[in-house]
Amino acid sequence: MASGADRISNLPEVILHHILSLLPAQDAVRTCVLAQSWRHHWRSAPAVRVAGCTGWAGGVYTFGPFVDGLLSARRGGAPLESCDFELDVDLDLGPYDVPKMQRHVNGWIRRALRRGVRDLRFRVSVSSTPRLPLTLEDRPLVSEHLTRLELVGVQGNAGVLDFSCCPALENLVIEDCDVRSLEMHSPSVKHLRIRYCLFYSNNRTWMSFPSLVSFEFITNVGRVPVLDSLTEATELKLSAYPDLYVFNRDLEWCPTFSKLKTLVLGYWFVSTDLSALIWFLRHAPLLEKLTLKYLKVDNNPTKMEVNDKALEQPIAASHLQIVEIKCKCVDGIVLEILEVLNDIGVPQEKVRVKVSGRKLSMNSHDSLCNCRVP
């Protein structure tokens, strides 16, 4: 400015802290040299954003101590609303980098929790072959303040996957992780998303989340976990490879989803008799929106044998407002699904079929049969 006046420094402290919270941690710390009044502002920023450590001179040997000091130097009374770690770790420096980095990251997580962080996101990308996730300490996370937790690219064992010591935790995201525990549980989590994770291939993980409202389980590998206490859920999104997950046997032991209103089912629901689909329609009496993602093209289609006994029991579909079927073509399986919906009394005007992003409209079931897409 022509006058040379420092107008930014005259802004209210809360605004300065907000500005600093938008910067990467390295840049936020550098502001301490701008003026004497800026020397300690970064220590009170309500959000910490850490990115690295590829590109740092010395790699983990210099990046690790920097983050240690960053978290240790925070002012004790300054609230920490969010802490975001976006780590890309290059392990070409030597064979001892992995344990060194693991010691650092576990210390960062625990220190952030002690600082009262409410939203903790910890994402790690390790450039190694084979894939080598960073292992978290095998002991529970403890925090009375944590409300949201996101873990990406780590390996979690029994201790760290026990979230009962985080009574305020409501949102939990686990992606691209190795789940090395026979149990996962939290009495408080309401929204759970598990994607692209690796579970045991010979044992099933028991998952207990009695307060769950919404649940996404998408494209994971290994034996499907045993789902417990989903009766409070209002929204479910389930997708898996049919040759890896077998939900049908577990469904017989599940109670009614008395609050479920939105349901999204991936390709796995297409079994030999559509029993999984029929089961959900029967046990979700308040279901309002049903989405079926049948995106696989069967090059050797066979006649599907729908379980007539399953259809003999009453199915209440009075609350169902819309059924959306997403598919690559209208094949025999899609027509069988439509037949089932027709048999349980779902009006044709409530059914929409989208073929590769193109919506098909029809006035009758017969007209749909003539809309087969080669």
Side-chain angles (χ1 to χ4, degrees):
M1 300 178 61
S3 64
D6 180 5
R7 304 215 176 156
I8 294 181
S9 296
N10 293 328
L11 291 173
E13 190 173 73
V14 64
I15 296 180
L16 294 177
H17 291 168
H18 176 72
I19 293 174
L20 290 174
S21 70
L22 301 176
L23 298 176
Q26 299 93 314
D27 295 332
V29 172
R30 290 190 182 107
T31 62
C32 68
V33 300
L34 295 178
Q36 181 67 27
S37 61
W38 282 80
R39 186 173 181 181
H40 299 294
H41 278 316
W42 64 271
R43 298 174 57 194
S44 301
V48 174
R49 305 179 186 278
V50 179
C53 60
T54 300
W56 275 67
V60 298
Y61 298 98
T62 56
F63 180 77
F66 166 77
V67 182
D68 289 340
L70 174 73
L71 296 175
S72 299
R74 282 191 60 83
R75 286 177 172 170
L80 184 57
E81 292 296 329
S82 66
C83 196
D84 192 345
F85 292 90
E86 186 80 41
L87 307 179
D88 52 328
V89 183
D90 188 346
L91 299 182
D92 291 338
L93 295 177
Y96 302 104
D97 290 341
V98 175
K100 177 180 287 290
M101 195 63 185
Q102 287 179 167
R103 288 194 296 271
H104 279 302
V105 300
N106 280 288
W108 300 339
I109 292 175
R110 307 289 171 176
R111 191 171 287 118
L113 293 177
R114 288 196 296 270
R115 294 291 184 180
V117 65
R118 298 181 181 276
D119 186 344
L120 176 60
R121 305 169 194 170
F122 200 89
R123 296 185 286 268
V124 183
S125 175
V126 179
S127 59
S128 65
T129 303
R131 174 179 173 273
L132 188 63
L134 292 181
T135 302
L136 300 183
E137 287 181 324
D138 191 15
R139 58 192 180 103
L141 302 177
V142 180
S143 173
E144 297 181 355
H145 307 281
L146 188 66
T147 61
R148 186 182 186 278
L149 174 64
E150 180 177 339
L151 297 174
V152 179
V154 299
Q155 176 176 303
N157 299 312
V160 76
L161 294 176
D162 175 6
F163 302 102
S164 58
C165 293
C166 298
L169 183 62
E170 295 187 351
N171 293 272
L172 176 60
V173 178
I174 302 177
E175 292 188 5
D176 197 27
C177 292
D178 284 8
V179 179
R180 290 294 175 258
S181 175
L182 293 177
E183 293 185 7
M184 291 177 61
H185 49 89
S186 166
S188 59
V189 166
K190 295 182 179 180
H191 307 282
L192 174 63
R193 183 171 67 192
I194 301 177
R195 302 175 59 187
Y196 314 123
C197 291
L198 177 63
F199 287 80
Y200 285 125
S201 59
N202 54 350
N203 292 298
R204 303 182 66 186
T205 301
W206 184 275
M207 295 172 51
S208 178
F209 296 89
S211 299
L212 210 59
V213 173
S214 65
F215 178 46
E216 295 184 34
F217 190 79
I218 300 176
T219 316
N220 299 287
V221 178
R223 295 203 66 186
V224 65
V226 179
L227 308 177
D228 185 29
S229 303
L230 289 176
T231 55
E232 297 296 310
T234 61
E235 178 181 353
L236 291 179
K237 295 182 181 180
L238 304 175
S239 175
Y241 299 117
D243 55 336
L244 295 179
Y245 298 109
V246 183
F247 280 150
N248 296 17
R249 182 175 59 185
D250 293 338
L251 296 180
E252 300 177 1
W253 300 95
C254 292
T256 298
F257 290 92
S258 58
K259 298 183 180 181
L260 188 63
K261 293 186 177 182
T262 302
L263 175 63
V264 179
L265 296 178
Y267 176 72
W268 71 270
F269 76 88
V270 183
S271 61
T272 57
D273 56 2
L274 294 180
S275 57
L277 171 61
I278 297 172
W279 186 94
F280 272 109
L281 290 172
R282 176 175 296 114
H283 289 78
L286 298 182
L287 188 64
E288 296 178 354
K289 182 179 181 180
L290 171 64
T291 301
L292 305 176
K293 295 183 177 181
Y294 173 57
L295 299 177
K296 179 171 179 168
V297 176
D298 193 348
N299 295 323
N300 298 294
T302 57
K303 174 71 175 176
M304 179 170 288
E305 298 292 337
V306 178
N307 191 335
D308 293 332
K309 291 184 178 180
L311 289 174
E312 289 177 359
Q313 303 178 34
I315 298 177
S318 59
H319 288 81
L320 201 56
Q321 299 298 315
I322 182 173
V323 178
E324 189 172 65
I325 303 173
K326 298 181 179 180
C327 56
K328 288 188 175 180
C329 69
V330 178
D331 59 8
I333 293 179
V334 173
L335 294 177
E336 290 289 356
I337 295 172
L338 293 169
E339 194 68 42
V340 168
L341 296 174
N342 182 67
D343 290 343
I344 66 173
V346 178
Q348 296 171 6
E349 59 268 18
K350 292 185 178 181
V351 180
R352 299 176 184 174
V353 180
K354 290 186 176 180
V355 178
S356 298
R358 181 166 53 91
K359 185 184 296 184
L360 295 181
S361 59
M362 69 293 292
N363 296 322
S364 68
H365 179 268
D366 291 337
S367 63
L368 179 63
C369 293
N370 295 327
C371 288
R372 290 174 180 263
V373 177

